[in-house]
Amino acid sequence: MRIFTAALATETNTFSPICVDRRAFEASLYAPPGMHPETPTLCTAPITVGRRIAAEKGWEVIEGTATWADPAGLVNRRTYEELRDEILEQLRAAMPVDGVVLGLHGAMVADGYEDTEGDFLSRVREIVGPDILVCAELDPHSHLTAKRLAAADFFVYFKEFPHTDFVDRAEDLWRIAIDTLEGRVKPVMSVFDCRMIDVFPTSRDPMRSFVDKIMTMEKSDADILSISVIHGFMAGDVPEMGTKLLVVTDNKPGKGSAIARDLGLELFSKRGTFIMPQIDEKQAVSEAMAAASGPVVIADLWDNPGGGTAGDATVILQELLDCGATDTAIGTIWDPMAVQICMAAGEGAEIPLRFGAKSAPGTGNPIDGLVKIVRIVPNAEMRFGESFAPFGDAAHIQLDGIDIILNSTRAQSFDPSLFSVMGIDPGTKKILVIKSTNHFYASFSKIASQILYCSAGTPYPNNPARTPYRRARKDIWPMVADPFAEERRDA
C-alpha cells in the first residue's frame, strides 16, 4: 500500500483582529516533507502514527508538508492557497496512492474561503478520484460541513477537551483506514445536527460521562467504528457553525443515523450545563488571596490564544496589582515589542516598561511600571502532552512582587513547564494566572490546590446569544430557546 499523509491546520476566530500569514505558520510549525519531528503536534499525529504503522506493515507512507498556525483571525488568502497548493502538488507527484490520511483542524477560515477544509478535501478528492480512501483526524472545535462530508470517506475527531487524546484518535483513524484498505470494513458517516452551540469540557460532568458512554459503545458494538462529538467553534462566524454528532459505522447508515440522533438529543437535553462556573476578576483575586494554601490557579479563560485571542489582556493582572498581591506568577502576556525591549536591555536590568492590552477593546489597559528583567529565553517552549508548544522569545519580568512572563509567539498555557523554563517554580507560588479555557487542566490540576475559572473583560465572543454574527445560523440554541419545538408539535 502507498499512503499519502500531510497536515494543514489552524483555528480561526473570525472576530480576532490578528490576521494569519505564512510567518504565523512558520512560527508554530512548518515542516516540509521529511522534516516533521519525531513528536506529534496537535493536528499532525496522523503523520507520526503513520510512520510506525508503515514500518509494521511494510507499507509506504509518502509524507507531504505538515504545517500549523496557532489560533488567530482570518488566514491570508495567498498564504492558504500557497500552502494548500504545495500539499496538492505533493499529492499529484505521489500518485498513484491507495489512500490519503490527513491531519486537519476544521475551523480554519481564509479570506475568500469560508470552508477551507471543504475546499482542500474537495481538491484532494478531484486528484485521487472517487474510489481512493480519503480520511482525516480533526479537532472537535470545528465546523462539520456538507462539502467535507461529500469529499471524505470518514473523519475521526478528538474526544477529550483538553485534547489529551490526539495520538489515541490518530491510532483510531489509522485502524479504520487499515481495515478499510484491507477490505474488512466499509466506513459510512451518519450525522445529527444538535442545533446548539456550547462549551463541552470533558474534565467534568456531564461531558465526562457522555464521552465515557460513547467510548463504551464503540467497544461493545462491532458495527460502530467511531463516534465523535463536533463541539463547534462559537467564534467562527460561518454558515454551518454548531454542534454535530458523527457516527461512523461499518456500512450501516440507518443504524448510524439512529444512534447519532439519540446521542445528539441527549447532548441537547443537557445544554447550558457543561461549562465550568465562572467568576469575575474581583472575586477570583479575592478568593485566591484568601486561600489557605497554593498554588491557586486562576484561568483567564476567555483571553485564550488557543481560541484565537491575542493573549495580551491585563484585567486580572491589574486587579492583582490593585490588591497588593505578591507571590504570584502570570503566564503569559503576549507583547512582542515589550519582549524586544527586554532582550535589548538584558537580564538583570531595571527599566520602565509599558506592556499588554494592545490588541483590542475589552482587554484592559496597558501596564506601566519599573520592571526588573529576570530571565530572557529565546525560542522558549513548554510541554503539551507528548509534544512541545513554542511561545517564542520570552522575558520573565518582575513588577511590584509579581512575576510576569512576556512572550512573542501567542500560545495558551498548556503546562507548568511554561513557568519553569522561565526560571519560575510554579509549585512554590500562592497564585498562578494562566490563559486557557480548559487545555491547562490535565497538567495544572496536578499541582493546583484550587482552580478558579475567571471571565475577565471581553476579548472573546463567549455568549452566542449576544454575539453579532453576520454569517452564522440563528436557528440554534441559545439564539432560540428550543429549535426542536416545531418538530415536537408536528409529531
Side-chain angles (χ1 to χ4, degrees), residues 158-171:
F158 314 149
K159 286 182 169 64
E160 302 292 346
F161 176 39
H163 302 327
T164 54
D165 63 330
F166 57 93
V167 174
D168 292 335
R169 300 292 78 78
E171 297 277 0

Side-chain angles (χ1 to χ4, degrees), residues 41-377:
T41 62
L42 191 65
C43 292
T44 68
I47 294 173
T48 54
V49 171
R51 287 173 178 169
R52 178 181 57 76
I53 297 291
E56 291 172 356
K57 297 190 70 66
W59 290 3
E60 181 181 3
V61 168
I62 303 98
E63 294 185 18
T65 294
T67 188
W68 153 264
D70 279 285
L74 203 66
V75 177
N76 174 281
R77 180 173 188 148
R78 180 176 177 182
T79 295
Y80 166 63
E81 291 177 342
E82 285 181 349
L83 293 172
R84 175 199 69 191
D85 292 347
E86 179 178 325
I87 295 172
L88 294 176
E89 283 303 313
Q90 293 162 352
L91 173 58
R92 289 189 184 94
M95 292 294 289
V97 298
D98 298 288
V100 178
V101 179
L102 298 170
L104 304 173
H105 183 282
M108 184 192 299
V109 181
D111 180 22
Y113 297 90
E114 282 187 319
D115 182 7
T116 53
E117 284 89 352
D119 172 72
F120 179 58
L121 286 164
S122 296
R123 292 170 187 268
V124 168
R125 178 59 73 192
E126 288 174 4
I127 293 170
V128 302
D131 301 323
I132 298 300
L133 175 70
V134 176
C135 61
E137 179 187 26
L138 299 100
D139 190 300
H141 295 117
S142 58
H143 318 293
L144 180 56
T145 68
K147 191 171 186 178
R148 301 174 195 188
L149 288 166
D153 291 279
F154 71 93
F155 297 128
V156 171
Y157 291 75
F158 314 149
K159 286 182 169 64
E160 302 292 346
F161 176 39
H163 302 327
T164 54
D165 63 330
F166 57 93
V167 174
D168 292 335
R169 300 292 78 78
E171 297 277 0
D172 290 346
L173 183 80
W174 274 96
R175 170 180 52 79
I176 300 169
I178 291 167
D179 286 346
T180 303
L181 291 167
E182 293 183 341
R184 287 185 290 274
V185 301
K186 182 181 180 182
V188 175
M189 292 190 283
S190 301
V191 179
F192 181 75
D193 181 356
C194 301
R195 303 185 199 176
M196 63 189 287
I197 184 70
D198 209 340
V199 179
F200 304 93
T202 60
S203 50
R204 64 191 299 271
D205 275 333
M207 199 59 187
R208 176 70 268 148
S209 297
F210 190 86
V211 168
D212 290 342
K213 174 180 177 176
I214 64 175
M215 292 178 75
T216 298
M217 292 174 66
E218 288 176 334
K219 293 175 182 176
S220 61
D221 191 331
D223 290 335
I224 299 173
L225 303 180
S226 174
I227 302 175
S228 298
V229 180
I230 296 85
H231 298 192
F233 187 55
M234 66 174 64
D237 189 6
V238 295
E240 294 177 81
M241 184 269 286
T243 303
K244 310 282 175 62
L245 208 299
L246 172 66
V247 177
V248 182
T249 60
D250 181 9
N251 200 26
K252 299 288 192 304
K255 181 175 180 177
S257 295
I259 293 170
R261 179 178 177 81
D262 288 346
L263 291 172
L265 289 175
E266 180 182 342
L267 205 66
F268 179 80
S269 72
K270 296 179 172 66
R271 63 197 180 281
T273 69
F274 296 97
I275 195 168
M276 305 73 64
Q278 302 165 52
I279 57 179
D280 67 15
E281 66 277 5
K282 293 186 179 299
Q283 183 178 347
V285 169
S286 175
E287 289 188 18
M289 292 181 68
S293 62
V296 177
V297 172
I298 302 177
D300 191 354
L301 78 166
W302 296 124
D303 187 34
N304 172 18
T309 68
D312 70 345
T314 59
V315 178
I316 298 176
L317 172 56
Q318 187 62 64
E319 182 67 19
L320 288 161
L321 291 167
D322 291 345
C323 292
T326 57
D327 202 16
T328 296
I330 313 286
T332 60
I333 292 178
W334 178 67
D335 195 329
M337 184 180 296
V339 171
Q340 287 184 26
I341 293 169
C342 291
M343 294 181 77
E347 293 181 355
E350 287 191 345
I351 61 171
L353 187 67
R354 167 171 283 197
F355 62 92
K358 296 182 175 71
S359 65
T363 57
N365 296 309
I367 302 294
D368 292 288
L370 183 67
V371 308
K372 180 178 180 180
I373 302 166
V374 180
R375 188 167 186 178
I376 300 293
V377 177

